[in-house]
Every structure is written in structure tokens, then in C-alpha cells.
């Protein structure tokens, strides 16, 4: 196994090459998991694994889960939910939470995956949810060549701020309202309701949190960020623009363009954002969201109450329902 630094992504992000994921031992895989908690973004290049092996490896790090799936389970599933989940999930594995990310449609014109078409702007999944899923794994499926997945980290920018400004950021609470145009311009209306529920809206979360591995940074929530609580909309927008102008620069960002070989990207979803800048309708990626509960005895995103206590209660209930 060979590791190397990903260009961009600040202090974070590694490539892993020359590793046979079909033969990696459990001990080695768990050691890689501990490394991943420190690097936030891990890209395994040129892997040749089945979908079943993909799911098996992710499950060794933590429980696959979805806040949307939890909400549906708790509040009752509709006929439209059933149709959407059946269309988007990977066919062939019973009870899997692997979903297809694709613009493909079936012969009846029904969506066959999430985030159907076009550009996906910077975002973190479930960003307006208190107990958002902390880890995302993305495996190349088909027609992925010359498409991309981009990453940006927030910690280096945060640590470069003055102590007094960091203290101000630490106390800020963000009001979230989901805006599909901020996520997927030219979006497909068929997805709007489900995505609105998935990302969450009308919630409040601290701006500064920590990753499951204890790395402090910003939970920016680009597609759900509305304003800072107790701050005017104008001042909130000015702050938001300042952060974006200073954070979305080459030093902290990286767009991984896929070649002819399959790659596996596993990345933090708490203080790291991702995007799709180069895509095509035929592209199919396989996504599995997961907790890090098999790598960590416990973790908490939040420093503030009541978020800290409420998160633990909700996270444990989500994991119980999804298990």
C-alpha cells in the first residue's frame, strides 16, 4: 500500500494506491479507517471490487444509515417514497442503503438515481439535519470517465483566522432553509420534495462543529445556509460571502477527475464539502452513507447545548432504527 497527499484540500486528503481491497485484512482496513478519521478525504485509486465487497468494507467502519430513511420510517412511508427508493437503490442486494447517483431514466421516464442531472454545487449531505450522517462512500459504477467529484475542507481556513474572530464564529448559530437552486441548478422537480426532506430545513445548527475524529471546522451547509441567528440577513450574507471567497480557493479545494479505472472515494460529511462539476447523464456512481461507530467508541459534533445532548439521543435512535 502506498499513500500520498492529495493536492489542494489544505492539510487533509490522501490517495491510497497499490492496495487490493479484495484481500485487505480486517486489521489493516481498520487501521486505514483510523487514518481516514485524521485525513477526512481518502481516495483509493484503481480498485476492482464488487458492489457487495464495497458494502462489506464500509460496514466494517460503521452502520450504513440515512436521516431521510429514518424520518420515513418514523413518520410513515408514502407510495411515492416507495417508488423513489426502489428506483434509486442498487438492485441486487437485499435491504441495502446503497443508492445510485445518476441521470439515467427507465423506459417509463422514471428517475433511476438521486441528484439526477447537471452540476451539483458545493454541499454536505443532510446539512440542515441535527444528526446528519457523518461519512460518505462513493464507488465508480459506469460511464464515469472524465467526470469528477470535488472536495473542499474548512479547518485550515478556520485555523488561520484571528483568535477573536474564531471566538465569534464559535458562538454563531446558523438558521437553515433548503434551497434546491443552491444545490442543483436546473433540478428535476420529481426530486424536490424528497431532497427537501433529506437536507432538512427550518432548523438551527452551530456553524462551528467537530468531525467524528475531533477536527474542528465549519459546517457550512451551502444549500441550506440561510442566515446567522440574531444577525441581519445582509450581515449574514456578507459573512457568508467572505467565507466562500476565502475558502473556495485552490489551496483548500480539489476536483478528482475519474480516469478509466474505478476509484473509491470515502469522505467526511461534517466539516468537508463536495461537488460534481463534470458529469454526464449516463454516469452512474454508487453511494453509501454511514456512521463511524465501529471506528469510534463515541463522538459528538457539537460543543453547545442543547445540540450536544439532543444529537446523542437522536443519533442513537437513528442507528437503532437503521440497524
Amino acid at each position: 500500500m502506498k499513500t500520498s497527499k492529495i493536492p489542494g484540500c489544505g492539510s487533509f486528503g490522501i490517495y491510497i494506491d497499490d492496495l487490493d481491497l479484495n484481500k485487505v485484512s480486517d486489521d489493516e482496513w481498520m487501521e486505514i479507517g483510523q487514518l481516514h478519521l485524521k485525513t477526512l478525504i481518502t481516495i483509493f485509486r484503481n480498485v476492482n471490487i464488487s458492489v457487495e465487497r464495497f458494502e462489506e468494507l464500509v460496514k466494517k467502519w460503521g452502520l450504513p444509515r440515512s436521516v431521510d430513511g429514518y424520518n420515513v420510517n418514523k413518520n410513515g412511508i408514502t407510495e411515492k417514497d416507495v417508488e423513489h427508493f426502489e428506483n434509486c437503490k442498487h438492485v441486487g442486494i437485499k435491504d441495502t442503503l446503497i443508492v445510485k447517483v445518476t441521470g439515467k431514466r427507465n423506459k417509463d421516464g422514471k428517475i433511476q438515481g438521486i441528484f439526477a442531472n447537471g452540476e451539483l454545487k458545493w454541499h454536505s449531505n443532510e446539512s440542515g439535519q441535527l444528526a446528519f450522517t457523518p461519512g460518505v462512500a462513493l464507488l465508480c459504477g459506469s460511464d464515469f470517465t472524465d467526470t469528477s467529484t470535488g472536495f473542499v475542507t474548512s479547518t485550515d481556513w478556520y485555523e488561520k483566522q484571528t483568535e477573536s474572530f474564531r471566538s465569534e464564529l464559535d458562538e454563531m448559530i446558523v438558521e437553515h432553509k433548503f434551497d434546491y437552486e443552491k444545490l442543483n441548478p436546473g433540478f428535476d422537480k420529481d426530486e424536490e420534495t424528497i431532497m427537501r426532506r433529506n437536507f432538512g430545513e427550518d432548523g438551527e445548527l452551530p456553524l462551528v462543529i467537530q468531525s467524528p475524529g475531533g477536527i474542528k471546522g465549519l459546517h457550512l451547509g451551502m444549500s441550506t445556509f440561510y442566515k446567522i441567528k440574531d444577525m441581519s440577513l445582509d450581515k449574514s450574507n456578507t459573512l457568508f460571502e467572505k467565507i466562500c471567497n476565502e475558502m473556495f480557493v485552490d489551496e483548500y479545494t480539489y476536483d478528482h477527475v475519474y480516469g478509466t479505472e474505478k476509484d473509491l472515494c470515502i469522505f467526511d460529511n461534517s466539516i468537508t464539502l463536495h461537488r460534481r462539476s463534470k458529469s454526464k447523464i449516463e454516469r452512474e456512481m454508487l453511494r453509501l452513507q454511514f456512521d463511524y461507530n465501529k471506528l469510534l467508541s463515541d463522538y459528538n459534533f457539537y460543543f453547545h447545548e442543547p445540540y450536544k445532548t439532543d444529537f446523542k439521543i437522536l443519533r442513537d435512535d437513528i442507528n437503532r432504527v437503521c440497524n
Side-chain angles (χ1 to χ4, degrees):
M1 182 181 83
K2 181 172 66 177
T3 65
S4 56
K5 177 74 178 65
I6 292 175
C9 299
S11 304
F12 303 94
I14 59 168
Y15 297 120
I16 293 184
D17 295 292
D18 302 332
L19 177 66
D20 188 343
L21 291 181
N22 290 301
K23 296 180 179 179
V24 64
S25 70
D26 286 352
D27 286 346
E28 186 176 13
W29 182 244
M30 297 305 279
E31 288 177 6
I32 293 170
Q34 293 298 328
L35 177 62
H36 167 70
L37 289 173
K38 299 174 183 177
T39 61
L40 299 177
I41 303 158
T42 306
I43 298 177
F44 300 84
R45 293 192 286 196
N46 190 14
V47 300
N48 182 25
I49 57 173
S50 66
V51 180
E52 290 81 3
R53 180 59 171 165
F54 168 53
E55 184 176 56
E56 179 186 8
L57 288 170
V58 172
K59 283 183 172 180
K60 290 180 186 295
W61 286 2
L63 177 71
R65 69 174 178 87
S66 160
V67 174
D68 187 29
Y70 168 80
N71 289 335
V72 165
N73 195 303
K74 296 286 282 189
N75 300 319
I77 192 165
T78 68
E79 186 175 330
K80 187 172 183 178
D81 288 327
V82 171
E83 180 182 43
H84 181 76
F85 291 145
E86 288 301 312
N87 284 340
C88 294
K89 76 179 184 181
H90 180 77
V91 177
I93 302 179
K94 185 178 180 181
D95 299 326
T96 187
L97 286 178
I98 296 173
V99 296
K100 295 173 290 185
V101 182
T102 184
K104 292 179 182 177
R105 292 176 177 268
N106 64 16
K107 62 183 180 180
D108 298 320
K110 298 293 185 181
I111 292 172
Q112 295 297 289
I114 58 172
F115 300 134
N117 297 315
E119 176 191 7
L120 277 179
K121 293 187 176 183
W122 290 116
H123 66 284
S124 55
N125 299 345
E126 305 173 345
S127 56
Q129 304 278 8
L130 174 71
F132 59 84
T133 306
V136 180
L138 198 63
L139 177 68
C140 292
S142 59
D143 295 304
F144 53 82
T145 304
D146 295 327
T147 67
S148 69
T149 303
F151 305 97
V152 63
T153 55
S154 63
T155 294
D156 291 288
W157 176 87
Y158 171 78
E159 290 183 346
K160 284 187 176 180
Q161 306 311 303
T162 64
E163 184 176 351
S164 61
F165 186 43
R166 286 200 307 270
S167 296
E168 291 181 43
L169 294 169
D170 289 348
E171 297 305 315
M172 291 180 184
I173 305 298
V174 177
E175 297 179 12
H176 289 266
K177 291 182 182 294
F178 179 67
D179 184 345
Y180 212 133
E181 289 287 353
K182 292 180 179 178
L183 173 69
N184 186 197
F187 66 90
D188 192 310
K189 274 287 187 181
D190 289 346
E191 288 193 287
E192 183 174 10
T193 299
I194 290 168
M195 286 299 154
R196 188 174 296 280
R197 185 182 61 205
N198 182 283
F199 277 83
E201 58 179 346
D202 300 328
E204 297 179 356
L205 297 176
L207 175 61
V208 177
I209 65 170
Q210 61 183 344
S211 71
I215 301 169
K216 198 172 183 180
L218 271 60
H219 182 64
L220 201 51
M222 299 290 291
S223 57
T224 55
F225 185 104
Y226 174 60
K227 65 183 289 290
I228 302 297
K229 188 175 182 179
D230 300 325
M231 183 183 289
S232 72
L233 188 57
D234 285 344
K235 287 186 177 180
S236 294
N237 287 336
T238 298
L239 173 64
F240 184 69
E241 289 173 7
K242 169 184 168 61
I243 294 172
C244 292
N245 288 338
E246 296 178 4
M247 187 181 297
F248 297 117
V249 295
D250 290 346
E251 183 179 359
Y252 307 132
T253 60
Y254 168 69
D255 285 294
H256 183 68
V257 179
Y258 299 101
T260 57
E261 304 292 345
K262 288 190 175 183
D263 294 337
L264 168 62
C265 300
I266 306 182
F267 51 96
D268 162 72
N269 188 50
S270 60
I271 58 173
T272 306
L273 299 165
H274 60 287
R275 70 175 174 182
R276 179 178 70 201
S277 55
K278 297 179 67 176
S279 188
K280 49 191 175 184
I281 291 175
E282 297 81 8
R283 183 180 95 154
E284 183 173 296
M285 306 295 280
L286 303 178
R287 191 197 77 178
L288 185 56
Q289 297 187 139
F290 65 98
D291 207 333
Y292 288 102
N293 57 311
K294 294 183 182 177
L295 289 174
L296 299 162
S297 58
D298 197 15
Y299 71 90
N300 201 305
F301 298 135
Y302 303 106
F303 303 101
H304 299 275
E305 294 290 2
Y307 309 98
K308 188 174 182 178
T309 297
D310 291 347
F311 164 75
K312 179 173 175 53
I313 294 169
L314 182 55
R315 180 203 64 194
D316 292 347
D317 196 42
I318 290 172
N319 287 352
R320 178 187 61 79
V321 169
C322 290
N323 193 357

